[in-house]
Amino acid sequence: MRWSHLFPLVGFLPLLVSSLAPTDSIRDADLGNSGYLPNHNMDPNIINSTSFGILWTNSYNSLEKWYTRPLVYTSANINNGAQIVFLASTMNIIRTIDAKTGKAILTRQLLPPFLQSDIGCTDIPNYIGIVGTPVIDPATDTAFFFAKGYKNGATSGGVANGVYQFYAINLVDLTDRPGFPVLIDGHNADNDPIRYFIGGTVLQRPALTLINNVVYGGFGGHCDKYNYTGLVVGVSTQSHVGVVTMYAMETTPYAPYPPTDINMEVGGKAGIWMGGFGISSDGSRLFFATGNGRGHQNQDNPVSGRSLLSTLDECVVNLAIASNGKLSLADWFEPYEYVNLDAADRDLGSAGVALLDPATFSGAGVSRMAISTGKNGKLYILNADNLGGFKNGPGNTDGIIQTLTSGGSVFAGPGSYPLEGGYIYFTPVGQPTFAYKFGKDSAGNPLFSPVGQTWRSYGANPGPSISAGRVGPGIPTITTNKGQPGSALMWRTDPDGGLQVFAAVPDQDGRLQQLPIPQTNGLNKFLRPAFGDGRLYVSDNQGNIICLGSPIAIPLVCDSPVDFGNLTLGNSKTISVSCTAQIAITSLAGLKTSDPTWVATNASLPTGRLNAGQVFTFPVTWNLVNSSNQDAQNASFGTVTPGVKTGAITVYTNNGVAGFTTSYPISLSGNEVSASPFLQITPAEIDFSNLVLGASTSANGVPGTFIITNLGSQPMTITGYAYTENFDPPVTYTNTSQSSRGTVLGSNFASTDIPSVGTVIGPSGSVSVSVTFFADTVGAYSTILQIWTNGGTQYILMSGSASTAPIGELSVQTSEGGYQVMDLMDFGYVTAGTTATRKIRICNNGGSALTITKSKPPIQLELKAENPSGDLHEGQTIPVSSCAYGTIDIAATPEQANVPDHTVSDVWILNTDDPNFGVHEVQITAIIRSIQAGPTSPNGPIYKNLGCYRDGSGRNLMKQYGPANNTNTVCINLCSSLGYKFAGTEYRTQCWCGNSAPKSANWNDPSLKNCVWPCPGDPAQICGGNPTLLNVFYNSTAYTPSCDALPCTSSSSTSSMSSTSSMSSTMSSSILTSSSSVNSTMSSSSSSTVSPSANSTMSTSSLTSTSSGNSTMSSTSSTISTSSSTLVSSTSSTSSASSTSSTSSASPSASATSNWTALGCYQDPNVAPVTKSIYPNIKTANDNMTIEYCLGICQAGKYQYAGLEYGRECYCGNTIDPGATNNYSGCTKKCAMNAQEICGGSNAMNIYNFTLASTTSTSTSSSSTSSSSSSSAFSTTSSSTSSSSMTNSTSSSSTSSFPASSSSSSSSSTTSSDVSNSTMTTSTSSTSSSSSSATTTSNSTTSSITSSSSTSPSSSSSSSSSSSSSSTPASTSASTTSTLPATSGYASFGCFPEPTAGRAFGTKLLANDTMNVEYCIALAKSALPSKTYAWIGLEYGRECWAATTMPPTPTQYVGSKACSLSCMGNSSESCGAAKQFNLYVATQSTSLSTSAPVTITTGTV
């Protein structure tokens, strides 16, 4: 099998991998816009030093602005392979410049830009050309963007003639790609064809997103003017395809019909603006937020986000991407007060939606999180897979994860940092940037807590580092030095303060400390810095492109920042600034201020030459004589108020020494005070969100507060109050009045202490006002309170919702499919090999959302919740008149016919926030019954299953029949009718009868599952196995099993065996036990790692014997990997040795645990943020959990401690939290994959400590002989002999020669026992066209091991060996043989690409930040259910993939760009790259599914 369909892609890949360096920035941020950018070599030690500074500054046209983020890109086809910066401006001018030097490479003017004067909106001054940040496709060296201009390339023409073109620019020469540009105007929306694109009325502001050859851009309006509807437009990157999708946010029938007059503002709106924040994606979905709109389909009724909504205003929207690029609505969230947000212009859509890293930010029932915010002062924490719909929360509020109060309007969006516990950041206008840390509550629900704010400790007045008191603070963006924890920096751009950087993790005082970097001018609003290789790029509001990095030499050192303190409007203040020359300066070229209110003149500067060390001063004036505070109408920003203002002044120099910058910026700040009274109301909105009718907590209403503040320097008098509850024009106000509840602020809002009219509030004074929301009936309520003073007028929005309490009802599905209210689910009999499914249902019959507060689902092997982390999970909310379901599976494992029944049972514990619901323990039970074959009695089948027997050397049963429709039922009935005691099925069609019991020496351990062939008459029944394996049944009325047919064990000799197979057993239950005391002779493997498949043989991991008689033991060590379809007919071994050993071991006894010590059961501390005994930790949770599995994961990750909880959760870490309590009794949960083991409990953790095994051994070996014989139609033999003289230590090295492919490979391990001598032998056989040799040496040990394997179609074979062994194969096959480095039994085959569709590997074992090659191999070896993962691949630096069959073989990659990502857990190893994987193939006995030789074609990339 080949990847022939990949060949066209392979030919394209050299271009792909020659482009895009890890330090490039080809879009606004990461695809999900999380704001975390780890790969740009931003070392905080360099940044916080004098070597970091401004490297160059470029100025272009005086009116040219950049609202797009610079993009940084590397291509072998451009600039001789050196990194470049791509610029796109509002004047529709594009440029490429050298990223290091700033030198111009190419410039091109596109169509003339649209004129701001034609639109009448001042958000973007002068020209409106390219505004949304472009995106670069590294596969083709192409930049994509939308540009606004006029029809036919005109230089003007008004709104009606405005158009948008979509460009695809070849970055090599800045020419258009064939088929571009594409005109967007005139296209119709897919979901409402009456809405069509009119370029003049809309603005393309959000950064672009490229998914699967389609570029998506969001469109909104200009200051909400004109007739427009928000749109997402998708344009193909392929030539001559054009627009592939257009999705409208407002559609009929609920949205207004779009008028023909574009000047009428009734087109629907719901624009996608987000302050330039990009449309986020996880590769298959788009996420964004919308602004206010005209259509209100959702009135007051709760609605699921999965339902179709035609008016997506004030929404967080999730659009699904089809394979052809088309978009469809998948999910949405709309705040419960969205109508009020529309009326008050508190747009949700002023900021974007960030998708957080799911590796860190996830919790119970939440696998991926999204966050959004806006002008309403709230931060919404959302489940990205279930956004929340409308009014699906308690009391008909927001059904989301969490709502945070931001304290002010937020524009552009939040940022995040996924390391060191995880943080999110947001910057309200005029306030610090706030940091919230991620955590989980005791139920595992995600939760954010406030932990810090930005702070400046240096300068004259240390304190909170606040953003500009006006619109424009940028998106918090976090970098690390190559992903290193502890190196995180949070970058903030500010329209006044310029570029600022802070420690991203707060200190113990809750401060994100600011680093003193060189001052820049104020930067263009909303942008985040663009990062390259140790450099970053920003654009300032003076028309400059600035590059900062290291090294840098500055000519001056001046006082900075300069703090002017308090200054009243109408006054001015002058401060003298002192500077010292660092070098000889020929002259000062002048200075420039960032704002007209900051005044300095060139005349104040000294003239002539300055010597190094010379000091000069000049005055700077903050002139507020002609300034005033006022709102700008029709502009997208919140209220501007007095307060701290910042600015900058830049001094320019002519240097006498080369290599120094020619400018030095000085930061300016001051507190602006109003000369007259100035009214401020905080917060802007009070959200009363939890009034439940009839609840005792709501009997007196829901309280809230707001503050009336006078920011002026003169007394402020309150002159009046009025409120309105009518938000649609014409708006009418009602004066406040008195009632028994106090001053009426609306029909459902009142205050008992609001200041009376005429109250005077002094300068800088404030009054807190308490408000109560009350309601007697279900509904949503709101009011806008307007306050008039002699210091201005302001309003506050108050919203509340009332509903009846939730009423939960639990019921279980019956066998008929209906539901019955009870706590018992009885499946009755379930046939082995089948799966029965039923559901538990919780319905909400109340009036508000119901929350599941407790859920502990069952997770046994045969009885389990189908989706334990998703169905009925803790914290899940159930909307009104809705139900939630949890599916229970009885997955009965296959069994032989006529084996005894066994019962499975467990409980699912559930509770809700309905106080009358109570704790429900749903008892679930089922009886697993095998197929009942043959005659039956009241006690079940008469013929019982005796077992699986080897039938190759002499027949166990002597009479053969061959019914064509053979089944166990047919055969048993036949033998019973003929009077035989025994019946057996073999080779599918053969039926054997007899009256003599089969010999115990031929008994085959049932855990090996070798009898697996389906019967032709009923595939659900088993009729023998390969080779010559017979299913035997006995007449229980005529025969009682004894040691003649079943192996017996001596009570004075005990054996303990452990295997990591899907069925774990010490021996078959049918093994008989004898109490005789006899001599014991044993040959066993003392250390073995086993990964068998479901049909594989059993291996012995650890076997010990204690006998009252003499003991003779021969011990070897082995590593065994087994697969299915393998037979060894019989094996015997005799060995004599004298041995004395002392071994320390702890349960479990598998080799994975040999270096671990059990510490006991710990109770989790359960105090945020520490909720687990091992903290911090990484977590793995699945239904394959065993102790060995968990310890293997933690050992591969090089962790000190391993812990198990809830039967299926594994925690790895290096510390046990001091709050954890040992000797706890709560560890009672059986492991999900091995019911014989305990894997913790509820908030109870079994903890293991990694320690080297303590073993002392002395051994003298005199002689050893081994013989092996077998007889079968098809046999496989393998032998190995070892001779050694051993004292204390052994070290080994090995070299493996591994073929590229083999025609077959199999392995088995069998155990036979001689009853009379109580002798047990363990041997291994394998088939593989491979050979290996190893030499082990040390100072005290010399050992040589030679092994070979063969496949021969003979009926018998034998071999003997002493110090060496040999075997001659009948045939071997290998088309290609290569010597490759091996790691833990796997050989590296190099780097290969993913296919164009799908993935090369079918199973993703794990993805986390500790991944390395050894870790992935350990996961493959320990994976359960038992599989033979012979092929593994590592990708994206952190993903481990596996396959049981060989992936198709494409062209192998070599070269510097081949699999260039280092493993995140070991930087010295390679772990693939994007769409490339490092391939490893098992070198031991493994099943390879192809007989075709492997051909590897090598291509350099």
Side-chain angles (χ1 to χ4, degrees), residues 27 32 67 70 75 87 143 149 226 340 359 468 643 711 828 885 934 1074 1192 1228 1289 1442:
R27 62 175 74 88
Y67 291 101
S75 171
L87 303 173
Y226 303 101
N340 303 333
L711 294 178
Y885 298 85
S1074 172
T1228 58
S1289 63

Side-chain angles (χ1 to χ4, degrees), residues 456-480:
R456 188 184 74 249
S457 296
Y458 58 89
N461 295 299
S465 178
I466 66 171
S467 65
R470 61 186 178 93
V471 65
I475 308 162
T477 303
I478 292 77
T479 63
T480 52

Side-chain angles (χ1 to χ4, degrees), residues 456 458 496-498 500 514 517-520 558-564 577 598 645-650 664-669:
R456 188 184 74 249
Y458 58 89
D496 291 336
Q500 300 164 337
Q514 186 169 353
I517 62 173
Q519 180 71 48
T520 68
C558 300
D559 297 337
S560 183
V562 178
D563 186 5
F564 282 79
V577 177
W598 306 102
K645 305 300 179 182
T646 57
I649 184 169
T650 304
Y664 183 85
I666 302 167
S667 178
L668 309 173
S669 64

Side-chain angles (χ1 to χ4, degrees), residues 22-25 37-42 480 482 531-535:
T23 58
D24 287 348
S25 296
L37 306 173
N39 299 319
H40 297 281
N41 300 321
M42 305 309 293
T480 52
K482 300 178 180 178
F531 296 92
D533 187 4
R535 295 178 292 269

